[in-house]
Amino acid sequence: MAYSEKVVEHFQKPLNVGSFGSSSDVKDRSDIGVGIVGAPECGDVMQLHIKVDDAGKIEDAKFKCFGCGSAIASSSLATEWIKGRTVDEALAIKNTEIVEELALPPVKIHCSVLAEDSIRTAINDWKKKNGHDVEDDHHHH
Amino acid sequence: MTAQETTIYFDHASTTPCDQRVVDAMLPYFTSIYGNSSSRNHAYGWEAENGVDTARSQVADLLGAQPKEIIFTSGATESNNIAIKGAARMYAKAPAGSESRGHIITAVHEHKAVIDPCRRLEREGFDVTFLEPSADGIITAQMIKDALRDDTILVSIMWANNELGTINEIPCIGKICKEHGAVFHTDATQWVGKLRTDVEADNIDLLSLSAHKMYGPKGVGALYVRRRRPRVRLQAIQDGGGHERGFRSGTLNVSSIVGLGAACAIAKEEMEAEGKRLSALRDKLENELMSRLEVVEVNGHRDHRLPHMTNISFGFVEGESLMMGIKNIACSSGSACTSASLEPSYVLKALGVGDELAHSSLRLSLGRHTTEAEVDEAIEGIAAAVQHLRAMSPLFDLWKEGVDISKIEWQSH
């Protein structure tokens, strides 16, 4: 299977790789939201760290990803899109937009779903830490 | 640029290039010696038949068999189907449509071309035992001994596994089957042409092989069918003109059969030296990667395996992304993402390899034209790609922090 140019670009030079500390470092930091989704046995795990200011704006985002090229590209793109947005704006990002931007084939749609899930999970983590209401976790598959 | 100019080919367990000597032997059979080998009444037919006869002797020679015991087919999948279905239906203990028609033994990590015919026979009233290999991928003679029953009619165990290269205890299994009176079939697709075969000493009744795994053309293979002590009989699958002693009707693919014969003749002369050369290169590849990188595991037995291949897992790195990172190396992965099923390799699962390591595996298989420079380039490329991917792997971070990944409750999707 050939990959789209954009997937290859993100794979070779992923944007915003990293974290804001080890899992124990960020666990209790109220300015950091953590989202870890997927499972090793399924072949993909995405970890998203977001740094959110008091006004609810995502100042910075970092990802790590164990997964195929499309999963890496989806998480790289997700970090780029949420940076500078408010948490509510970020929650509005749909996996279908990622599919379109990266020209993912049908068999790779789950990678985009995972990226969307990681955004929601990270934002919910930040909201819980800051006493905000959390929308019910649900999956848009 | 073509793939050949840009990409190292380490996927010889999938298929091999045709040896130029094989192509040279085949060419006259397309345009000059184009007769039907069954035409008994003119020179065109006789010439074609001579080519087929030579090939039959060449294949038999490589196996330690008699030429009359070789049946030409379209490849190992067809050979497996003819052998397994043909033997089961011939030696069935009860007629079609009834239950308890006989017992068959095979293994869970066989190729699909063995597993699926066995599954079909299950639906036709046969009992099938699918043995689990040892943790290093091997089916032992003792496992067969323990599984044999009074009504066992057929045992089908591959000689060497296609994903791991591991070698099952074939001569001993053959002996046990002979003593028990069960027909013994082996899918030797990966074995023949790599290591020595002697169907007499090894007590083999039926053996499948394919030309394209040993530098012959695609679309042709053979089935060895024992004729003496005992004479093995099969119920044919394909009816028609009664070619190949009635086991496989259909006009013979003369040019490809000539190619298969030539490939066997070359393998007989060269496989010993080739095996030594390739195992040294394979060992270099493995040892270098294991010394440069942490958490690298070779899957399957380190000694009882084919000389030219390795199945190796790189922890915390997903196989498809690894292949994307080494796109100048053509190889295979046990990762789910490279298959249509989205399941990781059932062969690695049969060994009890954890799912995440199964997702992280590469099968690298070297061949006749592999050079040491290619191996050196592959070592650099694979090590760099693994490091690139580990730098962005959350699992690698957790491992470094000392977290037991298997104890985390993952959110499956």
Side-chain angles (χ1 to χ4, degrees), chain A residues 12 16 20-21 26-27 31 33 37 69-70 72-73 86 89 105 107 111 121 124 137:
Chain A
Q12 283 168 346
N16 311 307
F20 297 119
V26 293
K27 203 171 138 228
D31 61 331
V37 296
S70 303
I72 291 168
T86 67
E89 286 165 349
V107 69
C111 299
T121 311
N124 285 348
D137 278 351

Side-chain angles (χ1 to χ4, degrees), chain A:
Chain A
M1 187 184 61
Y3 299 93
S4 72
E5 258 175 55
K6 279 185 177 155
V7 168
V8 173
E9 215 175 280
H10 278 285
F11 174 81
Q12 283 168 346
K13 290 188 183 130
L15 305 165
N16 311 307
V17 173
S19 68
F20 297 119
S22 70
S23 50
S24 48
D25 291 342
V26 293
K27 203 171 138 228
D28 298 317
R29 273 182 64 178
S30 62
D31 61 331
I32 306 286
V34 177
I36 301 181
V37 296
E41 64 265 25
C42 301
D44 33 34
V45 174
M46 278 183 198
Q47 171 186 293
L48 179 64
H49 285 185
I50 53 171
K51 197 173 184 191
V52 188
D53 70 12
D54 294 340
K57 198 175 102 179
I58 298 169
E59 286 180 332
D60 201 359
K62 297 275 185 202
F63 87 91
K64 292 230 167 180
C65 179
F66 164 86
C68 64
S70 303
I72 291 168
S74 296
S75 26
S76 169
L77 179 67
T79 55
E80 199 57 13
W81 276 0
I82 61 175
K83 277 202 305 187
R85 294 203 195 191
T86 67
V87 292
D88 290 332
E89 286 165 349
L91 282 172
I93 293 171
K94 291 278 162 272
N95 78 290
T96 47
E97 298 169 66
I98 296 170
V99 171
E100 202 174 317
E101 173 69 16
L102 296 175
L104 298 180
V107 69
K108 296 296 182 189
I109 287 174
H110 73 278
C111 299
S112 69
V113 173
L114 215 53
E116 188 191 312
D117 285 350
S118 73
I119 296 172
R120 187 177 326 99
T121 311
I123 289 173
N124 285 348
D125 180 59
W126 173 81
K127 283 185 171 177
K128 277 179 200 155
K129 283 172 173 171
N130 290 278
H132 297 294
D133 285 342
V134 171
E135 62 165 310
D136 284 341
D137 278 351
H138 60 98
H139 294 267
H140 307 271
H141 284 208

Side-chain angles (χ1 to χ4, degrees), chain B residues 364-376:
Chain B
L364 303 162
S365 43
L366 317 183
R368 189 166 286 168
H369 308 291
T370 301
T371 63
E372 184 158 13
E374 287 179 324
V375 170
D376 291 339

Side-chain angles (χ1 to χ4, degrees), chain B residues 167-178:
Chain B
I167 297 166
N168 295 317
E169 292 182 2
I170 291 310
C172 298
I173 292 172
K175 188 158 172 273
I176 286 166
C177 291
K178 195 184 187 84

Side-chain angles (χ1 to χ4, degrees), chain A residues 3 11-12 14 17 22-23 36-45 47 64-69 72 108 139, chain B residues 316-318 320-321 324-325 327 337 355-356 359-360 388-389 391-395 397-398 401 405 410-413:
Chain A
Y3 299 93
F11 174 81
Q12 283 168 346
V17 173
S22 70
S23 50
I36 301 181
V37 296
E41 64 265 25
C42 301
D44 33 34
V45 174
Q47 171 186 293
K64 292 230 167 180
C65 179
F66 164 86
C68 64
I72 291 168
K108 296 296 182 189
H139 294 267
Chain B
F316 323 115
V317 168
E318 192 277 329
E320 185 188 341
S321 62
M324 202 172 160
K327 60 181 187 307
C337 284
D355 275 337
E356 76 265 20
H359 280 292
S360 306
H388 171 69
L389 290 164
M392 59 175 121
S393 170
L395 303 181
D397 285 349
L398 289 169
E401 283 175 35
I405 292 165
W410 296 99
Q411 175 217 328
S412 297
H413 57 103

Side-chain angles (χ1 to χ4, degrees), chain B residues 82-116:
Chain B
I82 294 173
I84 293 168
K85 293 177 191 166
R89 290 170 187 162
M90 178 59 75
Y91 295 100
K93 304 255 181 212
S98 46
E99 290 298 302
S100 306
R101 299 181 66 201
H103 178 231
I104 298 165
I105 300 171
T106 187
V108 294
H109 68 328
E110 289 284 322
H111 193 276
K112 293 283 185 196
V114 165
I115 289 179
D116 285 357

